[in-house]
């Protein structure tokens, strides 16, 4: 049920029991669990300016070449029903003719996941005693209170809620150059502008800044749109995402790893990877084995070791941990082998506008690179994790008013580990405000993927009804 804007700021505040700020995957997961577990007429309201729920950044793409980075059999939204997404894909016949086991191993188009979350939300709403509504507006300010939390919307409306869950989602880092905002808008496109990236396809050369998952999305989109020009990829490490692999499970005990210093932990993991390969297993089996311990590994590091990890290890960790479908990796490899995709290990210096094109200047370890003349730039620098740099008015208001503080190392917002409560500048928790998803990255590190989001959502929903 949608709420149409029209109330003025002078009218009495509207009320709800649970206010969920953000209607992407994280926010919809919270709403889904709240509706499924409600035993009374709880009023749940999602605040999301976009017209469609459950998409956010990751699942907003309409294009079939953008695949999930995890096999379908591991993507259930419900911790107590691990095959739920698989059941949905079979129900809608997403992979005609494939048996159940084969579908479980497939990497479904990401648009399927948004449709899945929407379908499950609709089902939960139909059978729940709770009342559900959606307000298509952004929350720009939050005043936490003892019994009531007050939210101010961009349109001026005031809402009050007993509990608030912040599920604000992700924002893109800006291009790492001065004056990026002054570049011609049509020639600088964010990788998350999925339609805009495809419109760049043609005969001219392009440059992508960043070499992670967003870069992979952009390259496969351009290839599927028929791009014929070269694609230059610039990043500090020039490491492409690595693929998943089929094979048996590594059998070592991962429990001793949390608490080890970062250097010792890395040496141990490399040893396990060598052992796995010697046994005929892919190295990926080692990462799969430690996957459930991601948060424990991060929290087990001393602050100094966390800083070392962020300075020296994080990019290597990312390419091994956040892997892509083998078919996507094969497409990237083929484009690179043909010379159409070219990697440059370099830092971006300046971008000049010359005769309707962009001249890209960068430098690598050995000095400056020859300037690149391209028709457009794609910003694929990834998720902005620094709280003070996030282009989110609500986050900035919470920091400015002392209702929040940056998380460890300036990443995300600080939260209590046990109850996910937002911590004020003085370190005191706000019992009525919980945080789920990417804003908890500094505290938990692993806080963006569905396995973490679905558990956080389930716990937030339970606390909101407690």
């Amino acid at each position: 049920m949608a709420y149409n804007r029209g109330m003025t700021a002078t009218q009495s505040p509207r009320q709800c029991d649970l206010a969920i700020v953000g209607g992407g995957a994280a926010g919809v997961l919270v709403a889904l669990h709240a509706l499924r577990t409600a035993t009374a007429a709880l009023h749940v309201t999602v605040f999301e300016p976009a017209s469609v729920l459950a998409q956010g950044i990751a699942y907003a793409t309409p294009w079939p070449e953008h695949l999930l980075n995890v096999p379908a059999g591991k993507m259930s939204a419900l911790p107590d029903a691990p095959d739920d997404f698989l059941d949905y894909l079979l129900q809608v016949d997403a992979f005609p003719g494939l048996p159940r086991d084969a579908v479980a191993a497939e990497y479904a188009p990401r648009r399927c996941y948004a449709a899945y979350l929407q379908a499950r939300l609709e089902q939960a709403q139909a059978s729940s005693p709770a009342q559900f509504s959606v307000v298509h507006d952004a929350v720009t300010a939050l005043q936490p209170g003892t019994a009531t939390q007050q939210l101010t919307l961009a349109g001026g409306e005031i809402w009050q809620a007993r509990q608030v869950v912040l599920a604000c989602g992700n924002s893109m880092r800006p291009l790492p150059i001065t004056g990026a905002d002054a570049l011609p808008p049509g020639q600088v496109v964010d990788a998350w502008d999925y339609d805009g990236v495809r419109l760049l396809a043609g005969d001219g050369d392009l440059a992508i800044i960043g070499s992670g998952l967003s870069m992979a999305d952009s390259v496969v989109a351009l290839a599927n749109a028929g791009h014929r020009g070269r694609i230059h990829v610039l990043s500090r490490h020039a490491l492409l995402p690595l693929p998943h692999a089929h094979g048996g499970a590594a059998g070592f005990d991962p429990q001793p790893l949390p608490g080890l210093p970062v250097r010792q932990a890395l040496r141990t993991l490399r040893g396990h990877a060598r052992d796995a390969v010697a046994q005929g297993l892919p190295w990926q089996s080692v990462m799969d084995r430690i996957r459930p311990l991601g948060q424990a590994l991060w929290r087990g590091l001393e602050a100094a070791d966390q800083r070392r990890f962020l300075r020296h290890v994080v990019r290597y960790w990312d390419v091994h941990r956040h892997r892509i479908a083998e078919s996507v990796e094969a497409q990237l490899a083929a484009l690179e082998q043909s010379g159409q995709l070219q990697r440059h290990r370099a830092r971006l210096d300046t971008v000049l506008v010359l005769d309707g094109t962009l001249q890209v200047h960068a430098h690598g370890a050995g000095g400056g690179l020859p300037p690149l003349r391209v028709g457009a730039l794609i910003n694929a620098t990834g998720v902005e994790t620094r709280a003070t740099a996030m282009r989110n008015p609500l986050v900035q208001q919470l920091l400015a008013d002392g209702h929040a503080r940056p998380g460890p190392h300036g990443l995300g917002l600080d939260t209590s580990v046990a109850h996910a409560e937002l911590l004020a500048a003085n370190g005191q928790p706000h019992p009525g405000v919980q945080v789920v998803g990417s804003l908890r990255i500094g505290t938990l590190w692993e806080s963006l993927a569905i396995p973490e989001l679905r558990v956080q959502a389930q716990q937030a929903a339970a606390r909101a009804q407690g």
Side-chain angles (χ1 to χ4, degrees), residues 21 139-145 149-151 164-168 387 392-406 413-414 422-426 430 433-435 439:
V21 181
V139 177
T140 57
L142 170 63
Q143 299 295 328
Q149 327 307 317
Q150 181 167 295
L151 303 94
V164 171
V165 174
L166 300 180
C168 300
N392 183 318
L394 174 59
V395 170
Q396 297 311 314
Q397 175 265 324
L398 289 169
L399 292 170
D401 290 350
H403 299 315
R405 66 185 186 184
L413 298 180
D414 208 3
L422 182 68
L423 298 185
N426 61 6
H430 296 295
V433 182
Q434 299 178 69
V435 183
L439 287 176

Side-chain angles (χ1 to χ4, degrees), residues 193-269:
D193 179 0
Y194 300 110
D195 292 339
V197 168
R198 288 177 68 96
L199 290 174
L200 298 177
D203 295 319
D205 292 351
L206 301 171
I208 301 177
I209 311 304
S211 61
L213 299 178
S214 296
M215 176 279 304
D217 279 349
S218 296
V219 171
V220 298
L222 290 168
N224 280 272
H227 184 67
R228 295 169 295 278
R230 288 176 296 182
I231 304 171
H232 297 282
V233 174
L234 289 79
S235 76
R236 288 185 299 160
H237 297 92
L239 296 172
L240 300 185
L242 295 171
H244 288 278
H246 297 285
F252 69 94
D253 179 10
Q255 294 301 325
L257 284 167
L260 292 180
V262 67
R263 290 190 179 93
Q264 187 177 347
L266 291 173
R267 284 196 299 269
T268 303
L269 284 175

Side-chain angles (χ1 to χ4, degrees), residues 86-302:
L86 175 58
D87 293 339
Y88 169 82
L89 292 176
L90 293 168
Q91 178 187 354
V92 300
D93 202 17
F95 294 93
L98 285 187
R100 184 181 183 87
D101 289 349
V103 174
E106 287 287 336
Y107 296 85
R110 293 212 298 268
R111 63 185 183 183
C112 290
Y113 203 73
Y116 159 66
L117 291 178
Q118 291 161 6
R120 291 296 184 257
L121 182 64
E122 185 177 348
Q123 291 171 357
Q125 182 181 358
S127 60
S128 177
Q131 177 186 352
F132 180 66
S133 61
V134 181
V135 177
H136 290 293
D137 200 357
V139 177
T140 57
L142 170 63
Q143 299 295 328
T146 303
T148 302
Q149 327 307 317
Q150 181 167 295
L151 303 94
T152 303
L153 309 190
E157 297 90 355
I158 305 296
W159 280 70
Q160 291 180 341
R162 182 172 53 83
Q163 289 280 330
V164 171
V165 174
L166 300 180
C168 300
N170 304 319
S171 59
M172 179 74 75
R173 292 190 186 108
L175 284 172
I177 55 170
T178 302
D181 292 340
L183 294 172
Q187 291 178 278
V188 180
V189 177
D190 279 349
W192 296 341
D193 179 0
Y194 300 110
D195 292 339
V197 168
R198 288 177 68 96
L199 290 174
L200 298 177
D203 295 319
D205 292 351
L206 301 171
I208 301 177
I209 311 304
S211 61
L213 299 178
S214 296
M215 176 279 304
D217 279 349
S218 296
V219 171
V220 298
L222 290 168
N224 280 272
H227 184 67
R228 295 169 295 278
R230 288 176 296 182
I231 304 171
H232 297 282
V233 174
L234 289 79
S235 76
R236 288 185 299 160
H237 297 92
L239 296 172
L240 300 185
L242 295 171
H244 288 278
H246 297 285
F252 69 94
D253 179 10
Q255 294 301 325
L257 284 167
L260 292 180
V262 67
R263 290 190 179 93
Q264 187 177 347
L266 291 173
R267 284 196 299 269
T268 303
L269 284 175
R270 291 192 186 101
H272 289 313
R274 287 192 296 270
D275 292 344
V277 172
Q279 297 167 25
L281 300 174
W283 62 262
Q284 289 91 331
S285 65
V286 174
M287 298 303 293
D288 292 340
R289 181 68 172 163
I290 66 170
R291 175 67 181 85
L293 297 179
Q295 293 181 0
L297 287 167
W298 174 252
R299 291 174 52 212
L301 295 175
E302 298 288 342

Side-chain angles (χ1 to χ4, degrees), residues 9 19 42 64 79 83 93 120 130 150 174 191 208 282 294 351 362 406 411 419 460 465:
L42 186 76
D83 290 338
D93 202 17
R120 291 296 184 257
Q150 181 167 295
I208 301 177
V351 179
L411 303 177
H419 301 297
Q465 298 181 69

Side-chain angles (χ1 to χ4, degrees), residues 269-346:
L269 284 175
R270 291 192 186 101
H272 289 313
R274 287 192 296 270
D275 292 344
V277 172
Q279 297 167 25
L281 300 174
W283 62 262
Q284 289 91 331
S285 65
V286 174
M287 298 303 293
D288 292 340
R289 181 68 172 163
I290 66 170
R291 175 67 181 85
L293 297 179
Q295 293 181 0
L297 287 167
W298 174 252
R299 291 174 52 212
L301 295 175
E302 298 288 342
D305 259 352
Q306 289 180 346
R307 288 192 293 271
R308 292 188 186 97
F309 175 88
L310 294 170
R311 282 199 306 269
H312 305 297
V313 181
V314 64
R315 183 61 188 136
Y316 300 94
W317 173 268
D318 282 347
V319 299
H320 289 82
R321 161 68 186 87
H322 300 287
R323 303 190 299 276
I324 55 178
E326 293 129 299
S327 62
V328 175
E329 191 274 338
Q331 192 171 7
L332 296 179
L335 290 168
E336 188 167 29
Q337 188 173 8
S338 72
Q340 186 178 8
L341 178 65
Q342 299 185 11
R343 273 189 281 172
H344 306 275
R345 185 175 182 180

